[in-house]
Amino acid sequence: MSGSDEQGERRLVPGWEGRYLEDFRVGDVYRHANGRTVSETDNTWFSLLTNNPHPVHSNADYASRTEFGRPLVVSSLTLAIVTGLSVDDVSRNAVANLGWDEVRLPAPVFAGDTLYAESEVLETRPSNSRPGQGVVRIRTRGFNQRGETVITYERTVLVYTRAGRPRAADAEATPPR
């Protein structure tokens, strides 16, 4: 009977649209639903795509002689993955990212680690110059499968209000019955 009411009629149930400015509350913490295991291939490709030739990321022999004993995941890949994990909760309705501040990397990430994240709302305010938009500042913590914090940062995002969001041309159309 999934998707039907008692009379057998279907009802349209909207999917998750993400948060708009008015949905954020200072002090709220979002534990982001997904995790992401970082592979050696991810690290190699990211090193190549970003033109990062440091051997600690791509040369197992070199890395084995460092204090880490094996290749490190590129730190900006860690930032990118953890930011991506937060998109559904924080920036799915963003106009733009305005900045990342206070980025800290307290523990290394290695191929095979699974990254998770949570974000706390630090500040929200309507934009003074952009009607229908506002600024949200969050603190995100990325951690591995052992619960060790591997990255923290603050991110500032320009977000639509519900009324200010872009809509599809047929968004106001009545759904078919």
Side-chain angles (χ1 to χ4, degrees):
M1 192 168 201
S2 176
S4 300
D5 63 18
E6 289 180 17
Q7 291 79 31
E9 291 186 35
R10 290 175 28 145
R11 63 185 181 97
L12 182 62
V13 178
W16 176 244
E17 294 183 330
R19 288 180 176 83
Y20 295 95
L21 180 65
E22 54 270 35
D23 300 320
F24 291 93
R25 299 282 180 266
V26 171
D28 284 355
V29 176
Y30 312 126
R31 181 75 176 257
H32 308 301
N34 296 316
R36 172 65 157 73
T37 302
V38 184
S39 72
E40 189 175 329
T41 302
D42 295 329
N43 195 44
T44 299
W45 274 106
F46 198 83
S47 291
L48 292 168
L49 288 170
T50 58
N51 200 29
N52 183 340
H54 196 297
V56 77
H57 303 301
S58 59
N59 181 327
D61 179 52
Y62 174 88
S64 73
R65 292 179 270 128
T66 70
E67 65 185 90
F68 304 106
R70 56 189 165 149
L72 291 172
V73 168
V74 178
S75 55
S76 51
L77 175 56
T78 301
L79 175 64
I81 289 172
V82 171
T83 297
L85 292 172
S86 73
V87 168
D88 270 351
D89 291 315
V90 173
S91 55
R92 185 167 179 177
N93 292 306
V95 179
N97 283 302
L98 300 177
W100 283 261
D101 297 297
E102 304 295 326
V103 178
R104 300 290 181 262
L105 303 155
V109 175
F110 302 102
D113 281 346
T114 301
L115 301 179
Y116 299 94
E118 64 184 23
S119 297
E120 177 184 0
V121 180
L122 302 176
E123 174 187 7
T124 71
R125 66 174 177 79
S127 171
N128 294 324
S129 60
R130 300 178 75 116
Q133 299 173 10
V135 176
V136 176
R137 189 168 57 90
I138 59 147
R139 177 182 301 113
T140 297
R141 177 178 80 96
F143 50 97
N144 64 22
Q145 68 278 6
R146 293 177 300 281
E148 299 165 333
T149 299
V150 297
I151 188 169
T152 60
Y153 59 84
E154 291 183 12
R155 179 164 64 126
T156 305
V157 185
L158 186 63
V159 178
Y160 289 109
T161 63
R162 192 166 271 101
R165 73 186 186 268
R167 298 174 194 241
D170 63 349
E172 299 301 320
T174 304
R177 290 197 175 256

